[in-house]
Amino acid sequence: MSDANITDITVIGGGPTGLYAAFYAGLRGISCRIVDALPQLGGQLMALYPEKYIFDVGGLPKILAKDLANNMIEQGTQFGPEVVLGAEVQEMVPEDGHFRLVTPRGEFLTRTVCVTAGKGALNPRVLECPGWDDHYRDGGGAHTHVRQIEDFRGRRVLIVGGGDSAVDWVLGLRGVARSVTLIHRRPEFRAHKSSVLEMQALAEKGEVQILTPYEVRHMEGVNGCVARVTVFNNETNEDTHVEADAVIALLGFKPDLGPIARWGLALEKNTIRVNGVMETSVPGVYAAGDVVHYEGKLELISCGYGEAAIAVNNAVRYLNPKARLAPGHSTNLKIFKQDD
Ligand SMILES: Cc1cc2nc3c(=O)[nH]c(=O)nc-3n(C[C@H](O)[C@H](O)[C@H](O)COP(=O)(O)OP(=O)(O)OC[C@H]3O[C@@H](n4cnc5c(N)ncnc54)[C@H](O)[C@@H]3O)c2cc1C
């Protein structure tokens, strides 16, 4: 394969950290490819909580996750990186002076790698009950996250879970859905106290229904869409039926590095160990964001941004040891048509 087919850097994972890495690659003038297993860019922000507000990104006092993701996509793709979606990177094979990345959508060659794979492939926990598999598809009524509030307008929604997402969506869908019922297998919730109190006050007024300690026994459908759910009290084993045309299981997701764990990178606590310049144990392979571990690591969007900048600028140095490490200030860069 000719040199022209080898990209300077491949960013594995198109979440906020990967998009920021792609931005820095463009700013430094190196060729870049973003590969993501999901069919869309944006990582957890788009896949898990697009309609939630984020309050702790510098300079943005309050922004919807999907809006931040769209801004990140605009910024991260402005220099024209190749974007390959729906392609989980399964293997990373070191070859002579480059790496070969194997995905179901083909193989890609790259001189350096920046792994920004978050929690790995985002596999939400699903309900393990008869009827779930039959309805967990477009139009089937079984969901693992809320993509758009409007999808639930006028519907009878059953939410399963006891954490922040479950309680937040009881509050978020009230008034939009025709009815909202929450079931949780324990009487206590793991969500923010003020949200739980707000939800319980609504339940007392009859605006939402809370059933604890309940679990789903099975789901039945009409014309391919869920219509009735049998739930049981896990103390008395008594069954109750909930009429519902949407079931949203908000049970978190399994942190699983998946294939990344087999790439020969040193791992720690199910994440990739990096040094102070965000380099992994394999020279030329950098990592940033939720996927990394170092002392004091925080799993926050803002930390991922800083790590991505460090990773990519050091990758530039790896590619060309004479290159400057510091990118310069964007306020002065010609690439943005600014003068010194
Ligand atoms: C409900 C919720 C609310 C949150 N609220 C906040 C908040 O208010 N403030 C804050 O700072 N943080 C918040 N976070 C955390 C924040 O979302 C993460 O820190 C951030 O998304 C990490 O970004 P990332 O780019 O490192 O990883 P991710 O966003 O996880 O993106 C990783 C991407 O890599 C892809 N990928 C994984 N493995 C592969 C592979 N082998 N091949 C190809 N692609 C792969 C995945 O598909 C994914 O798209 C919240 C998280 C959740 C779940």
Side-chain angles (χ1 to χ4, degrees), residues 71-87:
N71 288 348
M72 290 302 309
I73 293 167
E74 183 185 336
Q75 186 180 36
T77 59
Q78 67 184 291
F79 300 110
E82 180 187 352
V83 177
V84 185
L85 297 175

Side-chain angles (χ1 to χ4, degrees), residues 12-18 35-38 42-45 48-49 52-57 87-89 116-122 165 253 259-260 263 288-291 299-302:
I12 301 178
T17 310
V35 186
D36 202 298
L38 294 175
Q44 294 177 44
L45 283 69
L48 298 181
Y49 58 103
K52 283 179 83 108
Y53 280 105
I54 298 173
F55 300 87
D56 59 346
V57 173
E88 182 179 47
V89 180
T116 51
K119 304 278 181 198
L122 295 170
S165 296
F253 53 94
I260 299 170
W263 294 352
D290 278 12
V291 79
E299 291 183 0
L300 290 172
I301 295 162
S302 51

Side-chain angles (χ1 to χ4, degrees), residues 6 11 22 41 81 107-108 114 129-131 146 152 154 170 173 221 223 237 270 280 287-288 330-331 335:
I6 308 181
V11 175
L41 292 170
E107 299 193 351
F108 302 97
C114 184
C129 69
V146 176
F152 299 92
V170 171
L173 291 175
N223 298 332
N237 212 24
N270 203 31
T280 70
S330 66
T331 42
I335 198 162

Side-chain angles (χ1 to χ4, degrees), residues 89-90 256-267 270-272 291:
V89 180
Q90 290 161 346
D256 180 14
L257 278 187
I260 299 170
R262 300 189 293 272
W263 294 352
L265 305 170
L267 304 178
N270 203 31
T271 49
I272 300 172
V291 79

Side-chain angles (χ1 to χ4, degrees), residues 64-218:
L64 275 176
K66 66 180 179 190
D67 292 341
L68 179 62
N70 282 326
N71 288 348
M72 290 302 309
I73 293 167
E74 183 185 336
Q75 186 180 36
T77 59
Q78 67 184 291
F79 300 110
E82 180 187 352
V83 177
V84 185
L85 297 175
E88 182 179 47
V89 180
Q90 290 161 346
E91 288 177 54
M92 183 188 74
V93 187
E95 292 185 336
D96 192 15
H98 61 257
F99 299 89
R100 182 164 51 89
L101 305 177
V102 181
T103 84
R105 298 201 50 205
E107 299 193 351
F108 302 97
L109 302 186
T110 185
R111 293 186 180 86
T112 63
V113 176
C114 184
V115 187
T116 51
K119 304 278 181 198
L122 295 170
N123 294 321
R125 290 198 172 88
V126 296
L127 288 174
E128 286 171 13
C129 69
W132 173 268
D133 287 348
D134 302 335
H135 298 100
Y136 187 41
R137 55 175 166 70
D138 277 350
H143 306 258
T144 46
H145 48 266
V146 176
R147 276 219 171 83
Q148 300 187 84
I149 289 180
E150 285 305 311
D151 292 345
F152 299 92
R153 183 168 294 282
R155 298 174 75 185
R156 299 163 302 173
V157 176
L158 174 69
I159 295 177
V160 187
D164 277 310
S165 296
V167 173
D168 286 354
W169 281 121
V170 171
L171 302 176
L173 291 175
R174 175 190 58 108
V176 176
R178 190 160 118 207
S179 64
V180 181
T181 304
L182 174 75
I183 69 163
H184 179 41
R185 62 195 167 117
R186 294 196 196 93
E188 309 80 31
F189 293 93
R190 286 172 284 104
H192 202 279
K193 201 173 169 190
S194 65
S195 306
V196 175
L197 290 174
E198 190 182 342
M199 177 180 75
Q200 287 167 335
L202 290 171
E204 274 166 29
K205 287 194 259 170
E207 292 189 31
V208 299
Q209 191 188 11
I210 304 173
L211 295 175
T212 64
Y214 273 83
E215 295 178 45
V216 175
R217 193 175 308 278
H218 74 262

